[in-house]
């Protein structure tokens, strides 16, 4: 099996993500995937091995030439070990890159993104969101964005919320294409919290990449007995904050099995 990334490799990933990539490229910092770097460590892709499948997550991060070289290098690496190269969760703008390497295309779903240019709650079509925000604030809820260092002191409270959420969902932590509650992983990101009367009742860590081109959330966890509308409240505030901070897009993630057509390229 390929080795887990070292601390210096994760530092190189963070540096590359400041200039490029998508918000989901931050999953490289989870530490459960190997990292394949391009020349001069200015590009990378992340991958894991399961059986005979060598699975790269998302598009390579870097310049177009670096991405092309990494796809070719990854295919060669997988085949040298008797494996089958797979690219999971790639974007439509890079389909030609994979087709030119002879890979088949299978649509999984569609991604939803919100433009944050001029985004505000103060428009008629968002009156429902405004009402939720006002209602929860009357109930003592407050939204806050904490830098990675400030969030460290809240980790015990965040752990309590996370454990309660997992127990309520009868779920366990996952990995690869999803983040998990891990102190070392969370230390890389700003964290948004919702407090009610001073106590943390919900949180989400923020992903960003590409010089504020895109903002998204990873873990979204809340106390099971919290007030209704809490996730709407959290998302409304995150998008408002992202718009003020100059982000271009808010990524809501992929809706599986959506947008299918009867077409060879679909």
């Amino acid at each position: 099996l390929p080795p887990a990334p070292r601390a210096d490799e994760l530092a190189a990933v963070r540096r590359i993500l400041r200039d490029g990539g998508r918000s989901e490229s931050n999953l490289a910092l989870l530490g459960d995937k190997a990292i394949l770097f391009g020349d001069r460590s200015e590009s990378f892709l992340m991958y894991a091995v399961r059986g005979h499948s060598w699975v790269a997550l998302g598009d390579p991060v870097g310049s177009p030439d670096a991405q092309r070289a990494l796809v070719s290098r990854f295919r060669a690496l997988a085949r040298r070990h008797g494996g089958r190269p797979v690219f999971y969760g790639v974007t439509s703008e890079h389909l030609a890159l994979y087709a030119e390497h002879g890979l088949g295309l299978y649509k999984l779903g569609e991604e939803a993104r919100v433009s944050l240019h001029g985004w505000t709650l103060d428009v008629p079509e968002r009156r429902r969101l405004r009402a939720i925000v006002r209602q929860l604030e009357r109930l003592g809820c407050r939204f806050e964005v904490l830098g990675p260092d400030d969030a460290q002191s809240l980790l015990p409270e965040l752990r309590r919320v996370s454990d309660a959420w997992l127990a309520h969902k009868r779920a366990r932590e996952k990995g690869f294409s999803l983040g998990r509650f891990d102190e070392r992983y969370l230390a890389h990101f700003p964290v948004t919290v919702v407090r009610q009367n001073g106590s943390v009742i919900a949180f989400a860590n923020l992903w960003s990449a590409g010089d504020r081109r895109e903002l998204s959330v990873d873990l979204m966890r809340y106390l099971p007995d919290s007030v209704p509308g809490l996730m709407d409240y959290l998302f409304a505030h995150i998008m408002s904050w992202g718009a003020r901070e100059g982000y271009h897009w808010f990524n809501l993630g992929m809706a599986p099995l959506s947008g299918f057509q009867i077409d060879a390229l679909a």
Side-chain angles (χ1 to χ4, degrees):
L1 291 177
R6 304 184 307 268
D8 62 312
E9 292 178 320
L10 294 179
V13 165
R14 292 187 65 180
R15 176 178 52 79
I16 295 168
L17 287 174
R18 282 198 291 268
D19 299 320
R22 303 170 65 247
S23 57
E24 289 185 354
S25 303
N26 284 283
L27 281 166
L29 300 171
L30 193 57
D32 64 345
K33 293 168 284 293
I35 307 296
L36 180 64
F37 287 101
D39 294 337
R40 299 184 301 278
S41 294
E42 294 177 352
S43 57
F44 76 91
L45 64 75
M46 53 185 145
Y47 70 96
V49 177
R50 176 63 61 90
H52 292 291
S53 295
W54 287 54
V55 186
L57 179 60
D59 299 309
V61 179
S63 69
D65 288 342
Q67 290 177 317
R68 185 169 288 104
L70 276 170
V71 171
S72 179
R73 186 181 300 180
F74 182 69
R75 287 177 68 241
L77 179 65
R79 288 174 175 168
R80 188 161 65 244
H81 289 85
R84 175 183 61 178
V86 178
F87 286 81
Y88 171 79
V90 300
T91 56
S92 58
E93 57 263 36
H94 291 88
L95 295 186
L97 170 62
Y98 304 106
E100 76 180 43
H101 284 85
L103 298 172
L105 308 175
Y106 299 91
K107 185 170 184 176
L108 299 175
E110 292 191 339
E111 189 175 68
R113 296 202 303 171
V114 177
S115 173
L116 294 181
H117 179 69
W119 198 94
T120 175
L121 283 172
D122 297 324
V123 291
E125 60 267 29
R126 299 197 182 112
R127 62 174 63 91
R128 174 183 168 274
L129 272 179
R130 284 201 307 276
I132 290 173
V133 168
R134 290 168 181 165
Q135 178 185 2
L136 267 67
E137 288 181 348
R138 284 195 297 268
L139 294 173
C141 292
R142 295 293 181 268
F143 171 84
E144 187 177 1
V145 180
L146 302 173
D149 293 338
D150 293 331
Q152 291 300 296
S153 62
L154 274 185
L155 284 175
E157 279 196 83
L158 303 185
R159 169 73 75 178
R160 174 180 60 85
V161 172
S162 178
D163 289 348
W165 184 88
L166 288 168
H168 178 71
K169 298 289 185 180
R170 297 182 180 178
R172 58 184 176 83
E173 296 286 13
K174 299 178 175 65
F176 188 68
S177 62
L178 295 169
R180 62 171 178 264
F181 193 98
D182 179 281
E183 283 84 354
R184 291 173 298 179
Y185 172 62
L186 291 176
H188 294 293
F189 309 109
V191 175
T192 66
V193 298
V194 178
R195 301 178 191 264
Q196 186 175 29
N197 301 322
S199 297
V200 175
I201 61 171
F203 74 91
N205 63 305
L206 296 179
W207 281 341
S208 65
D211 192 23
R212 305 200 177 196
R213 187 165 58 247
E214 187 176 78
L215 177 70
S216 188
V217 299
D218 178 21
L219 302 181
M220 298 171 288
R221 300 193 173 172
Y222 55 90
L223 293 179
D225 57 353
S226 298
V227 292
L230 183 55
M231 288 296 99
D232 290 334
Y233 175 87
L234 182 60
F235 271 85
H237 272 297
I238 290 173
M239 286 190 280
S240 296
W241 177 85
R244 291 194 301 271
E245 291 293 313
Y247 286 93
H248 297 278
W249 293 96
F250 182 73
N251 191 324
L252 287 160
M254 185 181 71
L257 306 179
S258 68
F260 281 85
Q261 303 171 12
I262 301 176
D263 181 279
L265 291 179

